[in-house]
C-alpha cells in the first residue's frame, strides 16, 4: 500500500483526491491537513465519504508526519508547496503538486504571473510537468511533479497532435475556453455566488491570465518553436467542467486530421478522440478522468476547430494527480480511475 498524505484537504481538489483514492486498491490516505478544521473527521465534514474513511481526521500540516508518507499531494493555494516540498523530498517522499508552483520552468516568469517571488527556484530543474500524454517517461523517474492546470490540460491535449506533426500555423492560435465555477476553488468570493454566476456568462482575464504562459510553454515544447496564442477564459453557470474550443489554420489541407488525432492518442487510456463530426459535452466527462476531443474542418478550408472537454476537478486536477502517482509507483495507470462519467 502506498502511504498518502494530502496538504489542503478541505478544498475541492483535496476532497476530490479523497473520493478517487477511496476506490484505489493500492493507496491509503494516512495524513490529511487543514489548519482551520484540524481535529475534525473527514466524514463529518464530507458525508459523501462516510464509510470510506472511518477514522481519518484533519491535522495541521507537519513536515515530520507528512515525511513518513510515500507521496504527498499539495492541493493548496500557490506558494504553499514552495515552502514544504524541499523538506519532504529530502526525506524520500515524492511530491505531487496540484498548484502552479512548479509548472513554469522559469522562476522569473512565475514571479511575474503569480505576483510574488518564486519560493523554491532550486527545485525547478527537477520538477516534471505531469501531463502523462507527453511526459510519461520523465514522470516515471520523477520525485517532484507539477500537475498541469485545468485550462492548460484541455487546451494542450487538443493542440498537441497538430503541433507535433507541424501541421498548424503557429503564428496565431486561439484558445476559447469555458469553466465551471468549481475552478475558482471553495473559498468564498462574490463572483462564485449562485446569484452572481448563475444564469450568466462572462469572459475574464482577456488581457492576460496566468494559464497563458503555461499553455504557451507546453505548445512550444510540442511545436519546437514559439507559438502565438490568444487565450480567453470564461466563467459559465455550471459546477464542474471545462469546454475548450481551439482555432488554428492548417498548413497542409491534404492531411486526414481525424486519422492523425486517432493515431496520436491510440494508446492513451484517458484521451478519447470522438468520431468525426462529434460535439463533446462537459457532462460526458463529469467525475471521470478523461479528455474527450473532436476535430472539425468547417467548409474543408484551412481552419481547424478542435473541441476538448474535461472535468476540471478530475482530468484537470485530482484525477490527473492520481494518474501521475500510478505512473511514479509503477502501477497500472488506470488504477482507481476507470469509472465512467456521471450522466446527467
Ligand atoms: N479548482 C480547480 O478546478 C482546480 C484547482 N487547482 C489548484 O489546486 C489547488 C487547490 O485548489 P482548490 O482545491 O480549488 O483550493 P481551495 O482554495 O478550495 O483549498 C485550499 C486548501 O488548502 C489549504 N491551505 C490554504 N492555505 C494553506 C497554507 N498556507 N498551508 C497549508 N494549507 C493551506 C486549505 O485549508 P486550511 O486553510 O484549513 O489549511 C484548503 O484545504 C490550487 O492551487 C488550485 O489553483 C488545479 C486545477 C483545478
Ligand atoms: C473559474 C476559475 O476561476 N478558474 C481558475 C483556474 C482554475 C484553477 O484552479 O487553476 P489552476 O489549475 O492553475 O490551479 C482561474 O481562472 O484562475
Amino acid at each position: 500500500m502506498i502511504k498518502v498524505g494530502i496538504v489542503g484537504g478541505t478544498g475541492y481538489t483535496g476532497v476530490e483526491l479523497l473520493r478517487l483514492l477511496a476506490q484505489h486498491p493500492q493507496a491509503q490516505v494516512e495524513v490529511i491537513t487543514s489548519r482551520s478544521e484540524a481535529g475534525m473527521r473527514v466524514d463529518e465534514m464530507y458525508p459523501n465519504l462516510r464509510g470510506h474513511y472511518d477514522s481519518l481526521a484533519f491535522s495541521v500540516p507537519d513536515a515530520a508526519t507528512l515525511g513518513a508518507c510515500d507521496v504527498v499531494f499539495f492541493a493548496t493555494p500557490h506558494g504553499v508547496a514552495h515552502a514544504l516540498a524541499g523538506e519532504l523530498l529530502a526525506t524520500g517522499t515524492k511530491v505531487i503538486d496540484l498548484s502552479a508552483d512548479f509548472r513554469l520552468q522559469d522562476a522569473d516568469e512565475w514571479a511575474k504571473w503569480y505576483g510574488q517571488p518564486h519560493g523554491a527556484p532550486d527545485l525547478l530543474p527537477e520538477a516534471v510537468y505531469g501531463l502523462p500524454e507527453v511526459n510519461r517517461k520523465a514522470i516515471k523517474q520523477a520525485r517532484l511533479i507539477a500537475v498541469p492546470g485545468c485550462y492548460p490540460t484541455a487546451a494542450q491535449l487538443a493542440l498537441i497532435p497538430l503541433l507535433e506533426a507541424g501541421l498548424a500555423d503557429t503564428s496565431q492560435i486561439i484558445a476559447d475556453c469555458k469553466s465551471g465555477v468549481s475552478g475558482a476553488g471553495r473559498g468564498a468570493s462574490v463572483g462564485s455566488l449562485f446569484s452572481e454566476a448563475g444564469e450568466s456568462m462572462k469572459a475574464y482575464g482577456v488581457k492576460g491570465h496566468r494559464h497563458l504562459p503555461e499553455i504557451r510553454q507546453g505548445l512550444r515544447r510540442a511545436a519546437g518553436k514559439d507559438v502565438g496564442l490568444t487565450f480567453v477564459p470564461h466563467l459559465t453557470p455550471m459546477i464542474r467542467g471545462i469546454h475548450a474550443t481551439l482555432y488554428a489554420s492548417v498548413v497542409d489541407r491534404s492531411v486526414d486530421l481525424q486519422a492523425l488525432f486517432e493515431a496520436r492518442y491510440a494508446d492513451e487510456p484517458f484521451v478519447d478522440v470522438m468520431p468525426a463530426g462529434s460535439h463533446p459535452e462537459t457532462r460526458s466527462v463529469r467525475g471521470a478522468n478523461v479528455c474527450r476531443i473532436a476535430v472539425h474542418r468547417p467548409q474543408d478550408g484551412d481552419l481547424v476547430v478542435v473541441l476538448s472537454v474535461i472535468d476540471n476537478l478530475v482530468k484537470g486536477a485530482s484525477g490527473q494527480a492520481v494518474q501521475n502517482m500510478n505512473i511514479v509507483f509503477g502501477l497500472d495507470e488506470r488504477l482507481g480511475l476507470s469509472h465512467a462519467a456521471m450522466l446527467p
Side-chain angles (χ1 to χ4, degrees):
M1 277 285 179
I2 301 166
K3 289 188 198 164
V4 173
I6 300 172
V7 184
T10 55
Y12 286 149
T13 57
V15 71
E16 192 68 353
L17 278 170
L18 286 172
R19 182 180 76 88
L20 295 170
L21 290 169
Q23 307 157 51
H24 198 292
Q26 304 224 21
Q28 170 108 19
V29 180
E30 303 262 329
V31 183
I32 182 137
T33 83
S34 163
R35 297 155 313 155
S36 55
E37 303 296 344
M40 178 177 270
R41 276 172 45 157
V42 298
D43 60 358
E44 268 177 69
M45 180 154 180
Y46 289 116
N48 64 318
L49 299 173
R50 280 170 65 82
H52 293 283
Y53 292 101
D54 290 339
S55 57
L56 188 68
F58 296 106
S59 56
V60 290
D62 163 57
T65 322
L66 290 164
C69 296
D70 300 311
V71 61
V72 168
F73 293 94
F74 281 87
T76 45
H78 311 302
V80 178
H82 284 167
L84 268 172
E87 211 173 328
L88 294 178
L89 292 172
T91 66
T93 299
K94 314 259 188 200
V95 171
I96 301 182
D97 178 24
L98 282 74
S99 83
D101 282 8
F102 297 102
R103 291 183 198 155
L104 298 181
Q105 283 169 335
D106 183 331
D108 293 335
E109 187 158 38
W110 192 92
K112 179 179 135 195
W113 288 94
Y114 288 86
Q116 55 183 302
H118 197 285
D122 50 314
L123 294 178
L124 278 177
E126 72 160 301
V128 172
Y129 191 67
L131 192 60
E133 291 75 10
V134 294
N135 253 352
R136 188 169 281 110
K137 230 168 126 190
I139 294 168
K140 269 191 188 141
Q141 316 295 331
R143 300 194 306 158
L144 171 59
I145 290 171
V147 180
C150 44
Y151 288 122
T153 297
Q156 288 177 81
L157 291 176
L159 290 167
I160 279 166
L162 290 173
L163 294 171
E164 286 177 346
L167 277 173
D169 173 355
T170 50
S171 64
Q172 174 68 303
I173 292 179
I174 295 172
D176 179 33
C177 302
K178 283 102 190 167
S179 173
V181 286
S182 64
R186 190 161 175 263
S189 74
V190 172
S192 307
L193 291 173
F194 185 56
S195 48
E196 299 282 329
E199 297 296 332
S200 183
M201 187 170 140
K202 66 167 191 178
Y204 64 101
V206 180
K207 248 184 134 181
H209 183 282
R210 63 193 175 82
H211 284 173
L212 177 69
E214 183 184 338
I215 303 172
R216 267 200 311 232
Q217 175 180 277
L219 300 188
R220 191 184 312 123
R221 276 185 194 145
K225 58 180 166 185
D226 284 342
V227 172
L229 178 73
T230 305
F231 165 55
V232 182
H234 299 73
L235 189 67
T236 60
M238 58 184 176
I239 295 171
R240 287 174 183 246
I242 297 247
H243 186 295
T245 307
L246 295 307
Y247 301 84
S249 292
V250 279
V251 295
D252 179 355
R253 286 190 191 191
S254 67
V255 175
D256 179 344
L257 296 181
Q258 181 69 23
L260 176 88
F261 273 70
E262 284 178 8
R264 174 61 179 82
Y265 290 127
D267 297 326
E268 289 300 340
F270 297 118
V271 181
D272 174 28
V273 179
M274 297 182 73
S278 301
H279 297 91
E281 299 172 87
T282 54
R283 66 181 190 145
S284 76
V285 295
R286 218 167 141 250
N289 190 55
V290 67
C291 176
R292 294 196 205 285
I293 291 178
V295 194
H296 291 255
R297 252 312 249 290
Q299 290 93 44
D300 281 337
D302 288 341
L303 185 69
V304 54
V305 177
V306 188
L307 308 173
S308 166
V309 296
I310 58 169
D311 182 325
N312 55 298
L313 293 176
V314 190
K315 185 61 178 160
S318 307
Q320 186 138 265
V322 173
Q323 190 181 347
N324 273 282
M325 179 191 79
N326 288 341
I327 298 171
V328 167
F329 287 90
L331 304 173
D332 180 333
E333 201 165 321
R334 294 162 297 185
L335 275 190
L337 295 172
S338 52
H339 52 277
M342 293 178 271
L343 200 78

